[in-house]
Amino acid sequence: MADREYAYYSGCSLEGTAVEYDISVRRVMEALGIRLSEPEDWSCCGSTPAHTVDHLLAAALAARNLTIIEKMGFNTVITPCPSCMMAFKKAHHRMKEDIRFKDEVNSLLDEPYNLNVQSKSALQIIIEDIGLEKVKERVTHVMPDLKVAPYYGCILNRPPEIAQFDDPENPLSMDKIFTAIGVEVCDFAFKVECCGAAYGVPKRDMVNELTYKILSMAVDCGANCVAVACPLCQQNLDLRQQQVNIRKNTSFNIPVLYFSQIMGLAYGYSPEEMVIDKLVVNPDSLISSRITLSQWNEMKAREAEASKAKKKEKKNIEKIEEET
Amino acid sequence: MDAINLTIIDRNFIELVKKESGENPYLCYQCGNCTAGCPYTTFFDYPVSQIMRLLQTGQKDIILNSRAIWVCATCETCTTRCPCQIDVAHIMDTLRIIARRENRVSEKDIKLFYDEFLSSMAKYGRIYELGLLLGYNIKSGHIMTDADLGPKVLTKGKIHFLPKKIKGRDKVSKIFERFKDRTRRDGR
Ligand code: SF4
Ligand code: SF4
């Protein structure tokens, strides 16, 4: 049974190139007792392109969706895509700060937005509303081979006055979740570097340069996969990894998974249910060693037993040596 | 940076940026923190801290013709790190909007990509990724952009061949129309 219910705005990317993010977030939320309600007939948030035209237009395109959510009676919407989340947060923030701006935005809309909706990332909901205790409780499987570089990207937690969650320079929400579900986290220095965002198409060389740096740092810190919370980060690091290899003469082959896919695997969902096959760089070799928590605990108990026996034996030998 | 003629200070421009961004560029004391963190600075013609200085001295033409304001990805690093709490990224955003309005676009491909995005949005209410890419490729003349990714994207079934049209797409296009009417009325 669902403990809580939220509005859920997937956004255009999650309907297309990032469908595995959408499916894995929905399943993980369900596993955590969260019911999601999709706003009817939502439209694109406007993303980056709208705010190159005008602040007013950008806010209005975002606010149309907030109005729909408000009318559904929700005061929180989960937005897994950081671009959508920022578009919503900025529209809300600016309308709240400036009454005249609010009126102007509303004059572009069929129905006004009355400032009653908070947009939050799935990570924020998991940390603040669900809590790490429950995140841990739900674990059924262990993936001993995963070494994750947690990559947050540039706008998930910034600017801090608008994001209102986690640390803008050293965010820890993903780190904490992975630690709670027993996945090894690497000390990754480029958590908030920018991946090239929406420039993949018009400025591909630039994006390849930026992702080259991020992938290099991930490998250097000992990670064998990268975890992300943004469809653009995922695309630039995964789909364009081969472009980087050609351009920079490298041989990166490092899988880039959504954090929600990793959580789902720890919660016992199959790789098919987490739509792992949509990833370009194949993570199968890392997740095929997945075992159940009870198998893992048995293994750990046996190991502990063995090391105890070894210690005892060593003590006995020492004793005998002393006596002779 | 080339020598700048400080006898030509466009004060109206400074006021306009102040008004439209709600930020005060005079608070900047040129510490360079924004530039130090800007991941795009190697691709800029003027680093962001220099854009700030140019703004303080009213150098409208240099700023609006710059590549920097189009290449800036609104990654918010500068805003996060500015010790004077200036929303630098928002100023960059505002400068780009003004440049677009005055039809000064140093990075035609970036603008074209944005325009294709918005026209997809006005038409369908949501973004139709394949149509967006094809439209961009044809209009930019870079027909082969990302053609190497084609097989990967197609075999993964990641892209839809038909746009998803929402019921309320007329409502979305109405937002665009009302916005256009409004700018016409304001004589922009
Ligand atoms: S927002 Fe723009 S100017 Fe500021 S750091 Fe990012 S890319 Fe550079
Ligand atoms: S960080 Fe702020 S004060 Fe320092 S140069 Fe940049 S805008 Fe000016």
Side-chain angles (χ1 to χ4, degrees), chain A residues 80-215:
Chain A
C81 171
S83 299
C84 304
M85 184 181 76
M86 252 317 140
F88 289 168
K89 283 194 178 219
K90 279 190 175 169
H92 179 91
H93 183 80
R94 303 227 156 95
M95 289 170 80
K96 200 171 162 188
E97 299 271 285
D98 182 348
I99 272 295
R100 246 190 44 212
F101 184 72
K102 177 184 164 214
D103 292 342
E104 285 180 66
V105 172
N106 280 337
S107 75
L108 297 185
L109 298 176
D110 283 335
E111 290 167 274
Y113 171 53
N114 298 311
L115 300 176
N116 293 314
V117 180
Q118 298 294 328
S119 314
K120 294 182 180 173
S121 64
L123 286 170
Q124 186 171 3
I125 296 291
I126 292 173
I127 294 281
E128 291 179 352
D129 293 9
I130 298 171
L132 291 171
E133 209 45 54
K134 189 149 187 202
V135 166
K136 189 175 173 178
E137 244 170 52
R138 187 60 187 73
V139 172
T140 58
H141 285 69
V142 178
M143 288 167 286
D145 286 341
L146 278 195
K147 289 187 175 57
V148 180
Y151 176 59
Y152 294 77
C154 55
I155 54 169
L156 191 58
N157 309 299
R158 306 187 309 178
E161 304 75 57
I162 294 182
Q164 300 272 343
F165 173 62
D166 214 346
D167 189 278
E169 297 290 0
N170 183 22
L172 288 170
S173 53
M174 249 196 274
D175 299 51
K176 285 182 189 158
I177 290 171
F178 291 144
T179 307
I181 62 171
V183 167
E184 186 179 338
V185 184
C186 299
D187 195 3
F188 181 50
F190 281 181
K191 281 179 171 179
V192 295
E193 283 301 306
C194 183
C195 70
Y199 290 141
V201 176
K203 288 280 159 200
R204 155 189 175 163
D205 293 351
M206 209 164 78
V207 172
N208 291 165
E209 286 296 330
L210 294 167
T211 51
Y212 163 73
K213 285 191 201 155
I214 295 165
L215 292 169

Side-chain angles (χ1 to χ4, degrees), chain B residues 38-40 44 48 72-78 89 92:
Chain B
C38 173
Y40 292 81
F44 282 11
V48 53
C72 163
T74 323
C75 78
E76 310 282 358
T77 309
C78 48
M92 293 293 272

Side-chain angles (χ1 to χ4, degrees), chain A residues 15 17 20 40-42 44 51-52 90 104 108 110 158 169 194 196 199 203 240 277-279, chain B residues 40 70-72 76-77 81 93 100 107 121 125-126 129 146 156 158 160 167-168 178 182:
Chain A
E15 255 193 353
T17 42
E20 64 272 37
E40 202 185 321
D41 218 37
W42 58 267
C44 171
H51 67 80
T52 69
K90 279 190 175 169
E104 285 180 66
L108 297 185
D110 283 335
R158 306 187 309 178
E169 297 290 0
C194 183
Y199 290 141
K203 288 280 159 200
R240 296 181 184 281
D277 66 325
K278 296 266 178 197
L279 304 175
Chain B
Y40 292 81
W70 285 95
V71 173
C72 163
E76 310 282 358
T77 309
R81 297 185 186 167
D93 223 27
R100 184 192 261 275
E107 285 288 336
M121 193 175 166
R126 291 185 194 167
E129 289 168 316
D146 280 340
K156 295 278 173 194
K158 279 189 163 221
H160 298 292
K167 282 191 279 168
R178 284 190 201 118
R182 188 182 174 282

Side-chain angles (χ1 to χ4, degrees), chain B residues 157-169:
Chain B
K158 279 189 163 221
I159 217 149
H160 298 292
F161 286 98
L162 290 172
K164 289 212 173 172
K165 296 181 191 159
I166 67 163
K167 282 191 279 168
R169 58 183 182 278

